[in-house]
Amino acid sequence: SRVVRQAQCEEHWFRDQYMPEVGHVDPDTVTTRALAAKINCEYTKFVIQTWIPGTIRQLYTKMASCHDSDRALGVPASPGNLQGEACEGLQSAAEVAALHALGPCVATAMDDFVSDSLRPLEAALREIIPMNPTNDPIQKCTERLQDVAARAREVVSKYCSLEVLQCRWDCRVAGALADDSPPFRLQRFPQYVDALKQALKQHAPHLSGLADVDVEKILATHTQMKHDLSVQPATGMLIMDVEAVVSAVLIEVSGRYVHDTNIAPTVQHVAHTAFGGLHQEQERSHADRSAVHDQLCRYDGAIRSLLLLIQPNRADGPAHSTRVRDVQDLIQEVLPGLNLAEPGPQAQDAAPRLYAAIQARDMEQCLREINLGADVDTVYDGTSLCAWMARNGLWDAWEVSATKADNILFGPGSVVAREQLFGGDVLNRVKKLSFSAPSLVTDVEVGHIVQHCLALTSLTIGTGNVIGWNGAKALAQAVRTYSRLDHLHLQGNNIGPQGCQALAKALEVNSTVAHLTLYGNNIGPWGGQALSTALKV
């Protein structure tokens, strides 16, 4: 009854809203229609403002989980028919993954030879060579010396022969290539792994000219014989210097050790053959990945269908008055990215969780928090989260976050691999870029910035980043064409008079730069005069 009374009170509202062209209507009819219209309004409001956004957020969370599952299967994906840059990227990733897995195997080969060959050989020689001399008939002394030499040759062959070293190397290579750690996951490509094992056989350590090791000569050199011909039968005593004999054999054997550690060309050739030819190997996890992609397509289709229901330009009626802001935000959020006007608890807490994941160098967790909407522009200890990923060498997360960042700030600290900062087009949407840390930017990096960072409104290259006059000239070319750059700060970069003159000429035709910092650059009177002339213009 309360709703009915409320509907009766809204008679004039209903008439004005739904029947403005009718001068007079039946009050009972108006009341009924007003009640139905109010219920429909509240229901529509619930569906559009609550149910559809909530459902889309759930679907987006499921999509993020699918993306995690897809990455867990290994990246980049290889359906067996990649071409062009995708094919080259797969070859490069396969090569890097193999070299990373095999690196310790190659680096420790000599240490393994010492522990697995030389030490057992030393122990065996000490058992063979008699410590205490004995009197033997003099005609037996030569036989005894030959017997010791023969047994010494046997143990040298047992621990150092080509077959032994080859088998040991093959086992170590197989163990290294059994690594299935992300992000690449070598075990997705068994044919590639088998081809690597076969190709790397030629890199096995070996002893050059092992058969030429003259054990008899070494024994004769370090053996003394005392004889007594006054007795019947005549006797002889062999006195062998055990330490000298063992040391001489070990030095002779280790001096013949040969190992070709340059495996990179071989790995590169195998990767090119496996992934660059007509018969490109398909990943073993292809079926699982296809299932994940099918699930992603279903979630994406469901989201698009829901968004289609609430498009403001639908032909079957106007947009509902309660949904305009929420719906537009939601469309921007889900397709293409996540940016809720009122983020839920997960998104609100994502930034500190992302910072903790960066410090723990947990790549998968970093990517997960970025997908949950972590603000990669958030600053911790003078450095934005996006820059923290570069400082800690989390390059996959850096590339994802850099495409979402507006303001990247590099505070105090170094970057583990500076050349990867500006790869590709990851920074093509960033608006503010600041390098407060020294030794990050040279004229080479300035060239990358000019080429890729086309949306910059502010660029700061602080003291200690010596870009020199070459870097200043590259920036001058960009300043001529940048239509949004407002702040340019290059303090302490030693651009000199030539660099300052180049910038001054560029500023003559640039109308957007309003804030310029050049102190500590040794611009001299010529540079100052050129700058003064440009600013007058």
Side-chain angles (χ1 to χ4, degrees):
S1 60
R2 182 182 61 81
V3 176
V4 172
R5 288 195 303 273
Q6 185 178 359
Q8 290 172 343
C9 294
E10 293 173 348
E11 176 180 333
H12 297 291
W13 167 85
F14 180 81
R15 182 184 293 112
D16 294 340
Q17 184 75 17
Y18 287 91
M19 295 178 150
E21 73 285 354
V22 180
H24 175 73
V25 294
D26 182 7
D28 294 335
T29 303
V30 169
T31 301
T32 302
R33 292 186 179 182
L35 176 61
K38 186 170 183 64
I39 294 174
N40 181 64
C41 176
E42 293 300 322
Y43 174 76
T44 304
K45 180 178 178 181
F46 164 77
V47 170
I48 292 175
Q49 288 192 335
T50 303
W51 184 80
I52 289 181
T55 302
I56 289 180
R57 289 190 184 99
Q58 292 180 25
L59 288 171
Y60 190 87
T61 301
K62 291 181 180 294
M63 289 182 70
S65 177
C66 285
H67 284 299
D68 289 342
S69 300
D70 184 61
R71 282 190 296 271
L73 292 173
V75 292
S78 175
N81 57 359
L82 297 179
Q83 297 180 354
E85 292 184 1
C87 180
E88 293 174 1
L90 176 61
Q91 293 178 43
S92 177
E95 180 184 345
V96 169
L99 289 174
H100 177 75
L102 292 165
C105 180
V106 174
T108 62
M110 182 60 190
D111 294 336
D112 295 338
F113 176 69
V114 171
S115 61
D116 297 335
S117 292
L118 294 186
R119 288 176 184 169
L121 175 60
E122 178 186 18
L125 289 174
R126 292 185 183 279
E127 291 181 2
I128 291 170
I129 302 171
M131 298 286 293
N132 301 314
T134 58
N135 281 320
D136 293 310
I138 196 168
Q139 68 272 22
K140 296 289 186 180
C141 289
T142 300
E143 296 178 5
R144 184 175 178 81
L145 191 61
Q146 292 175 346
D147 178 63
V148 173
R151 294 169 64 189
R153 283 196 301 272
E154 288 179 4
V155 295
V156 169
S157 178
K158 176 180 178 181
Y159 294 108
C160 304
S161 68
L162 175 62
E163 294 77 10
V164 170
L165 296 184
Q166 181 72 61
C167 181
R168 194 178 295 152
W169 169 255
D170 292 344
C171 290
R172 282 184 167 79
V173 168
L177 294 178
D179 173 55
D180 197 34
S181 59
F184 186 79
R185 294 197 178 279
L186 275 171
Q187 293 304 306
R188 292 187 292 153
F189 304 102
Q191 296 177 25
Y192 174 55
V193 171
D194 290 342
L196 283 173
K197 292 177 184 177
Q198 190 63 34
L200 290 170
K201 285 182 178 293
Q202 61 180 317
H203 292 273
H206 64 279
L207 298 183
S208 176
L210 181 62
D212 298 333
V213 177
D214 195 344
V215 178
E216 288 87 349
K217 183 177 180 181
I218 294 174
L219 282 172
T221 301
H222 299 286
T223 300
Q224 295 180 356
M225 187 180 75
K226 294 183 179 180
H227 62 277
D228 186 357
L229 303 179
S230 63
V231 298
Q232 293 294 332
T235 62
M237 179 182 296
L238 295 176
I239 305 174
M240 299 183 184
D241 188 342
V242 178
E243 295 298 328
V245 172
V246 172
S247 296
V249 172
L250 293 178
I251 291 173
E252 182 74 16
V253 169
S254 60
R256 297 175 181 273
Y257 179 83
V258 177
H259 185 206
D260 180 10
T261 59
N262 186 21
I263 65 172
T266 301
V267 173
Q268 183 180 24
H269 174 73
V270 173
H272 178 76
T273 303
F275 304 109
L278 296 177
H279 303 288
Q280 187 180 110
E281 183 177 3
Q282 184 185 85
E283 61 184 350
R284 189 167 57 181
S285 55
H286 179 65
D288 295 335
R289 194 183 299 276
S290 296
V292 172
H293 287 182
D294 289 344
Q295 191 67 47
L296 272 172
C297 289
R298 285 193 288 270
Y299 290 144
D300 180 76
I303 290 175
R304 290 178 184 273
S305 298
L306 289 172
L307 291 178
L308 186 62
L309 293 175
I310 51 178
Q311 286 288 344
N313 297 321
R314 285 176 56 84
D316 56 353
H320 194 277
S321 60
T322 60
R323 74 185 184 210
V324 176
R325 183 67 261 165
D326 287 344
V327 172
Q328 293 302 317
D329 288 346
L330 196 60
I331 292 174
Q332 292 299 318
E333 165 204 344
V334 178
L335 298 172
L338 177 65
N339 185 20
L340 293 177
E342 296 182 359
Q346 279 193 320
Q348 292 174 350
D349 298 336
R353 290 201 307 268
L354 176 57
Y355 180 67
I358 294 171
Q359 300 308 310
R361 288 179 168 81
D362 187 339
M363 179 75 75
E364 293 186 2
Q365 184 65 25
C366 287
L367 292 170
R368 187 177 299 109
E369 299 302 339
I370 294 171
N371 286 331
L372 286 174
D375 183 4
V376 296
D377 292 336
T378 305
V379 176
Y380 286 86
D381 295 334
T383 297
S384 61
L385 286 175
C386 184
W388 269 110
M389 297 176 206
R391 283 181 52 176
N392 285 11
L394 301 168
W395 294 113
D396 287 347
W398 154 259
E399 291 184 1
V400 174
S401 64
T403 60
K404 299 176 180 292
D406 289 326
N407 184 5
I408 302 180
L409 171 62
F410 285 89
S414 61
V415 174
V416 295
R418 188 181 60 191
E419 65 276 5
Q420 296 191 42
L421 276 176
F422 307 99
D425 296 325
V426 297
L427 295 177
N428 60 3
R429 74 179 293 271
V430 66
K431 296 178 181 178
K432 297 181 180 180
L433 192 58
S434 177
F435 298 93
S436 300
S439 303
L440 281 178
V441 182
T442 66
D443 58 332
V444 175
E445 283 71 39
V446 169
H448 290 302
I449 293 173
V450 169
Q451 181 180 0
H452 298 295
C453 304
L454 303 179
L456 282 180
T457 61
S458 175
L459 175 63
T460 300
I461 303 177
T463 303
N465 293 285
V466 184
I467 66 173
W469 67 274
N470 283 327
K473 284 185 177 180
L475 276 176
Q477 290 295 110
V479 168
R480 291 176 182 272
T481 57
Y482 275 6
S483 60
R484 304 176 183 177
L485 189 64
D486 180 58
H487 290 70
L488 181 61
H489 306 292
L490 304 175
Q491 60 271 19
N493 273 274
N494 196 29
I495 67 173
Q498 291 176 303
C500 186
Q501 288 173 341
L503 282 174
K505 290 181 180 179
L507 289 171
E508 291 178 2
V509 297
N510 179 284
S511 60
T512 61
V513 175
H515 305 273
L516 178 66
T517 305
L518 290 177
Y519 67 82
N521 275 289
N522 300 318
I523 64 175
W526 293 350
Q529 183 177 359
L531 193 61
S532 176
T533 302
L535 294 178
K536 289 179 181 178
V537 173

